[in-house]
């Protein structure tokens, strides 16, 4: 069995309708006319995966990530083989490896995903939502959420662009082969530039 850990989500079909399943069972019943998964896990390079497979101390490794599912035009977040948000949003934007902006009609909500989904802030939608206007609203009305997001999404020192810690890889490592003691280790973080319209451009990959 591979040590690379990920949820193998699969679109299922019944009577011309679509649903979603994982190795843990059905997540969404096949009742939708259309269904697609976006923001899938991005595998590590082959040479790095082989290194982990050959290391007896490594129990498992994978990406910290929520997938975005779109069913009949409505979006939601799935993680660890289950739907962790309501399937009701018009748009979901991944801001960092653990922060997601969910938009519903006249409101947006910012969620943090780490061992569960936590609501950080919600606010009415401005006439045009950009990264700059979002951060201004957070700084003004939701200081704790702004402080949290600033740890993994921050302005560059040389321009007006923002750098996001967008994908993070880590895993579980045995402390001693003779015991069951383990600890979490961080392998690498892929960073991107997030533009004002929320487009992303790959920047680099950093290690601890």
């Amino acid at each position: 069995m591979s040590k690379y850990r990920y949820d193998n989500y699969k679109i299922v079909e019944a009577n011309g309708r679509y649903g979603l399943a994982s190795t843990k069972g059905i997540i969404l019943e096949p009742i939708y006319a259309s269904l697609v998964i976006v923001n899938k896990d991005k595998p590590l390079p082959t040479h790095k995966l082989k290194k982990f497979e050959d290391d007896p101390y490594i129990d498992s490794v994978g990406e910290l990530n929520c997938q975005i599912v779109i069913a009949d035009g409505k979006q939601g977040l799935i993680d660890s083989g289950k739907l962790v948000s309501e399937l009701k949003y018009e748009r979901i934007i991944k801001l960092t490896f653990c922060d997601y902006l969910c938009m519903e009609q006249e409101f947006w909500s910012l969620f943090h995903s780490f061992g569960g989904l936590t609501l950080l802030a919600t606010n009415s939608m401005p006439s045009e939502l950009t990264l700059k206007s979002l951060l201004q609203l957070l700084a003004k009305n939701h200081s704790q959420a702004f402080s949290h997001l600033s740890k993994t999404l921050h302005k560059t020192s040389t321009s007006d662009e923002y750098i996001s810690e967008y994908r993070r890889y880590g895993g579980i490592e045995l402390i001693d082969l003779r015991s069951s003691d383990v600890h979490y280790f961080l392998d690498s973080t892929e960073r991107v530039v997030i533009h004002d319209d929320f487009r992303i451009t790959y920047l680099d990959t950093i290690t601890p």
Side-chain angles (χ1 to χ4, degrees), residues 179-202:
S179 73
S180 59
D181 293 336
V182 299
H183 71 99
Y184 178 83
F185 71 94
L186 172 62
D187 173 71
S188 58
T189 301
E190 183 177 296
R191 303 192 304 173
V192 302
V193 172
I194 296 191
H195 304 281
D196 203 35
D197 60 359
F198 299 106
R199 288 178 301 108
I200 63 169
T201 302
Y202 172 79

Side-chain angles (χ1 to χ4, degrees), residues 6 8 14 16 43-44 86-87 90 118 122 130 143 171 175 187 200:
Y6 66 97
N8 189 20
L44 287 163
E86 292 185 77
L87 187 64
E90 296 165 7
T118 303
T122 187
T130 64
S143 58
I175 296 174
D187 173 71
I200 63 169

Side-chain angles (χ1 to χ4, degrees), residues 4-93:
Y4 186 70
R5 182 187 71 249
Y6 66 97
D7 287 298
N8 189 20
Y9 297 113
K10 180 181 179 182
I11 295 175
V12 295
E13 181 182 0
N15 300 318
R17 294 282 171 164
Y18 300 94
L20 185 65
S22 77
T23 53
K24 298 178 181 179
I26 295 292
I27 301 171
L28 296 174
E29 295 291 340
I31 59 174
Y32 301 96
S34 64
L35 191 145
V36 64
I37 309 168
V38 297
N39 188 39
K40 295 181 180 180
D41 287 358
K42 180 180 177 182
L44 287 163
T46 302
H47 72 277
K48 183 167 284 191
L49 289 175
K50 185 178 186 309
K51 179 181 176 182
F52 287 133
E53 295 291 348
D54 293 341
D55 189 337
Y57 284 89
I58 300 300
D59 176 78
S60 61
V61 64
E63 181 181 354
L64 298 176
N65 184 39
C66 283
Q67 274 83 16
I68 300 167
V69 60
I70 308 174
D72 288 352
K74 296 298 184 181
Q75 303 189 16
L77 293 168
I78 52 177
D79 186 31
S80 301
K82 61 183 179 180
L83 186 70
V84 294
S85 78
E86 292 185 77
L87 187 64
K88 66 176 186 177
Y89 297 103
E90 296 165 7
R91 185 183 181 191
I92 296 179
I93 299 172

Side-chain angles (χ1 to χ4, degrees), residues 21 34 56 92 112-113 126 147:
S34 64
I92 296 179
H112 173 68
S113 174
S147 177

Side-chain angles (χ1 to χ4, degrees), residues 60-163:
S60 61
V61 64
E63 181 181 354
L64 298 176
N65 184 39
C66 283
Q67 274 83 16
I68 300 167
V69 60
I70 308 174
D72 288 352
K74 296 298 184 181
Q75 303 189 16
L77 293 168
I78 52 177
D79 186 31
S80 301
K82 61 183 179 180
L83 186 70
V84 294
S85 78
E86 292 185 77
L87 187 64
K88 66 176 186 177
Y89 297 103
E90 296 165 7
R91 185 183 181 191
I92 296 179
I93 299 172
K94 180 177 180 176
L95 296 176
T96 76
F97 72 91
C98 59
D99 298 295
Y100 299 83
L101 184 67
C102 301
M103 303 182 203
E104 180 190 13
Q105 297 180 357
E106 299 178 358
F107 295 90
W108 57 256
S109 299
L110 177 64
F111 290 95
H112 173 68
S113 174
F114 196 87
L117 202 63
T118 303
L119 177 64
L120 298 180
T122 187
N123 211 101
S124 59
M125 191 83 70
S127 57
E128 182 182 1
L129 184 66
T130 64
L131 180 59
K132 183 177 180 180
S133 67
L134 170 67
L135 295 174
Q136 287 175 340
L137 281 169
L138 286 173
K140 181 181 179 181
N141 300 327
H142 308 280
S143 58
Q144 288 186 332
F146 179 77
S147 177
H148 160 81
L149 190 60
S150 297
K151 296 175 183 177
T152 48
L153 177 65
H154 52 85
K155 201 171 188 179
T156 65
S157 58
T158 57
S159 72
D160 288 333
E161 294 182 320
Y162 284 82
I163 296 175

